[in-house]
Amino acid sequence: MKAVYTARKLPNDGVRNGWYEALPPPPEARRVTSTVTADWAVLGAGACGLAAARRLGELRPDDTVAVVDAMRVGYGNSGRNAGFMLSHHSHGGIKHLDVARQADRLFGCGHAYLRETVETHQIRCDWSDWGQIYVSASREGDAHLNAVADGFDALAVPQERIQRDELEAITGSKFYTAGVRVQGAALVQPAAMMRGLGATLPANVALYEDSPVTELRTDGAFRLICPDGEVVAKQLILTNHVFAEEMGFKRFRVVPLGLFASLTRPLSDDERRHVGNEEQFGLLPASPNGSTVRLTVDGRILMRNTFTYARDKRFAADLIEDAAANHRASIAKRWPALEGVDLTATWGGIMAMTRNEGRVFGEIASGLHIVLTTDAAPMTRGTACGKLMAEKLCGIDSEELRFAEMIPEAAILPPDPLLRFVANRRLDKIERSEPAER
Ligand SMILES: Cc1cc2nc3c(=O)[nH]c(=O)nc-3n(C[C@H](O)[C@H](O)[C@H](O)COP(=O)(O)OP(=O)(O)OC[C@H]3O[C@@H](n4cnc5c(N)ncnc54)[C@H](O)[C@@H]3O)c2cc1C
């Protein structure tokens, strides 16, 4: 069947990504500049797309795979996050234990695939098995922390309570009141990891960057139209995250949630005395209005808080300024001695949330497949789902694949302006609640 799908918006993640800026410039991109034919095309080279492409390449060594992205690998969401590659996660209040268990298995599956790839190819991305500590800083936060702990109990994930003085020793801050530590997660430099994943794809997988797909045409094959050429393939996997809906696929299944992060410059030896006794740490907030905080191995603080409804998929300069002001305030609250330390970059990115922690994973039409990374622990969940989609298409069954397919489909959301109104109201409520946690 002939059809044309035009991309109404193209990715433009803004001018900054502090992680990416900390890396040396990449080699020149291979772009789509002619007609490229391949057995398989993958649209989107984030964590999900690269996992799908790698696995296809591994399982079908005689097939060709073309992965196409509008930007450089590592510049987009998968390289601009907080760098927690989670093998378990709990945000409390588990509604459906079966679904939570299935999701937990997917996190573990994605984490294992990432770890194996990073180890096999010696990808230099500061991968560390430090784990994660969920933290609270007030009575309300402590209640959220108890819910997080209950969630881990329900999932039978071992956890350890961390007392206030221990947290102070780890972070150098008196800010936190309690913590729950879970082993298994990796902390990484996400842009470095993504660049390494892109550079070590199997030989039969070709990566095309800086090649925005402005149109998808179907006429017996799939034609990804780029400004200077096209990719023609027999089968297509869409892994273009929140931009799938901009081509008309799976509209109003996900809420595009804007998140913001800043990195400081590397702290001086004198400043490092204020941030505890560990080489690095990674803290996840128990409260929805809390902040994700890391000390990186090169001595920077990463601060993540502030939300926005990101339907426009663009971040205006004043929004970035507001986020930077929030990040500076959160650093000063935790480490008064570091008030005013320079931020080298502040940036925004998007997570896709569903109403029911559901999945977008399956076939849209003959030969056209979609995997969108949604909800909690998206880097590992997305990696797992990309890998499992490739396995499904190659006829490989597994318990994890069955879990991925058992998760209910993402529920349909109301269109804008209703969704914008509801989302903004919810985000405002979160941002006004529990200010002590931020
Ligand atoms: C500040 C912040 C902190 C976060 N922290 C964490 C964390 O610690 N741990 C975690 O697990 N998750 C975290 N996340 C979420 C996580 O980064 C994302 O959910 C995840 O990267 C999504 O992966 P993906 O592969 O589905 O999508 P993406 O990484 O967005 O990849 C999709 C790709 O498709 C490309 N694309 C889209 N449309 C087109 C087109 N028309 N033509 C060509 N290419 C196109 C885009 O350029 C993009 O590279 C965080 C997010 C943010 C913003």
Side-chain angles (χ1 to χ4, degrees):
M1 200 179 70
K2 284 192 176 188
V4 176
Y5 304 89
T6 303
R8 292 180 314 166
K9 267 190 198 136
L10 292 170
N12 170 355
D13 275 328
V15 291
R16 307 303 299 266
N17 169 350
W19 295 112
Y20 198 87
E21 287 169 27
L23 299 176
E28 206 177 323
R30 168 164 49 189
R31 297 175 54 247
V32 176
T33 53
S34 60
T35 297
V36 174
T37 54
D39 295 302
W40 304 83
V42 177
L43 171 52
C48 183
L50 288 187
R54 177 178 296 278
R55 194 67 181 135
L56 275 177
E58 288 169 350
L59 294 172
R60 290 286 174 88
D62 297 330
D63 284 3
T64 50
V65 183
V67 200
V68 190
D69 203 290
M71 299 187 293
R72 296 309 303 265
V73 166
Y75 196 74
N77 292 310
S78 295
R80 56 178 52 222
N81 52 56
F84 286 79
M85 302 301 126
L86 299 175
S87 49
H88 301 289
H89 180 59
S90 157
H91 45 79
I94 292 179
K95 285 192 206 120
H96 305 288
L97 187 55
D98 281 353
V99 175
R101 283 199 181 120
Q102 288 151 5
D104 197 61
R105 277 291 292 274
L106 295 182
F107 307 156
C109 165
H111 177 273
Y113 194 48
L114 280 176
R115 166 192 273 283
E116 181 193 314
T117 311
V118 165
E119 275 180 7
T120 304
H121 297 282
Q122 298 287 298
I123 294 173
R124 294 175 64 178
C125 59
D126 298 336
W127 180 286
S128 135
D129 295 319
W130 197 86
Q132 78 250 40
I133 300 184
Y134 295 81
V135 285
S136 56
S138 65
R139 233 175 357 175
E140 290 88 348
D142 293 346
H144 288 293
L145 193 66
N146 290 337
V148 166
D150 290 346
F152 282 128
D153 276 343
L155 294 167
V157 172
Q159 54 179 302
E160 181 197 349
R161 282 279 177 176
I162 308 281
Q163 304 305 322
R164 188 174 199 155
D165 51 351
E166 245 178 297
L167 277 173
E168 186 178 338
I170 293 170
T171 64
S173 172
K174 293 184 189 305
F175 181 80
Y176 297 107
T177 49
V180 163
R181 186 165 198 164
V182 171
Q183 301 293 343
L187 300 177
V188 304
Q189 207 290 25
M193 184 182 82
M194 291 309 299
R195 195 183 273 180
L197 292 175
T200 58
L201 289 165
N204 56 334
V205 180
L207 171 64
Y208 296 89
E209 300 169 271
D210 279 344
S211 301
V213 174
T214 54
E215 211 170 81
L216 164 64
R217 292 187 198 150
T218 62
D219 55 6
F222 296 96
R223 293 179 178 275
L224 302 175
I225 312 296
C226 299
D228 299 319
E230 63 176 342
V231 174
V232 184
K234 292 176 216 139
Q235 305 228 43
L236 170 63
I237 308 178
L238 296 173
T239 53
N240 53 341
H241 198 226
V242 291
F243 287 90
E245 63 179 11
E246 299 297 343
M247 286 185 154
F249 298 110
K250 299 286 176 188
R251 295 192 68 204
F252 293 103
R253 295 294 178 134
V254 298
V255 180
L257 179 67
L259 306 182
F260 299 85
S262 291
L263 270 174
T264 67
R265 61 163 165 73
L267 302 178
S268 66
D269 288 348
D270 195 38
E271 288 165 336
R272 281 199 72 148
R273 289 188 299 111
H274 298 287
V275 291
N277 57 15
E278 305 234 350
E279 193 193 23
Q280 63 173 320
F281 56 74
L283 311 176
L284 291 170
S287 159
N289 196 26
S291 303
T292 298
V293 185
R294 280 184 59 188
L295 175 68
T296 65
V297 272
D298 65 345
R300 300 166 191 263
I301 293 170
L302 172 103
M303 185 61 67
R304 187 218 47 84
N305 61 41
T306 312
F307 298 114
T308 184
Y309 177 63
R311 172 68 60 203
D312 301 338
K313 306 183 172 81
R314 298 284 184 274
F315 301 111
D318 56 345
L319 204 53
I320 298 286
E321 253 323 298
D322 287 351
N326 291 340
H327 297 158
R328 284 192 196 95
S330 297
I331 291 172
K333 265 159 77 173
R334 286 158 179 79
W335 298 283
L338 300 182
E339 181 164 15
V341 69
D342 306 325
L343 304 180
T344 54
T346 300
W347 65 92
I350 303 178
M351 262 177 90
M353 308 301 290
T354 65
R355 196 167 78 186
N356 56 340
E357 302 199 11
R359 73 176 152 91
V360 183
F361 180 96
E363 190 175 50
I364 296 179
S366 178
L368 178 59
H369 313 275
I370 187 163
V371 197
L372 297 196
T373 309
T374 57
D375 300 302
M379 286 297 286
T380 45
R381 181 179 174 144
T383 298
C385 290
K387 170 179 181 275
L388 293 169
M389 174 55 80
E391 291 177 358
K392 176 182 160 78
L393 297 178
C394 294
I396 295 179
D397 192 17
S398 66
E399 201 177 27
E400 277 104 354
L401 175 57
R402 269 172 272 143
F403 284 157
E405 294 191 309
M406 261 189 251
I407 291 175
E409 262 204 76
I412 296 194
L413 296 154
D416 282 341
L418 183 57
L419 182 56
R420 179 183 291 274
F421 174 77
V422 173
N424 278 333
R425 208 174 52 172
R426 190 123 181 237
L427 293 177
D428 281 353
K429 196 169 159 204
I430 291 177
E431 294 226 316
R432 274 186 276 109
S433 70
E434 302 164 13
E437 292 287 327
R438 188 198 259 179

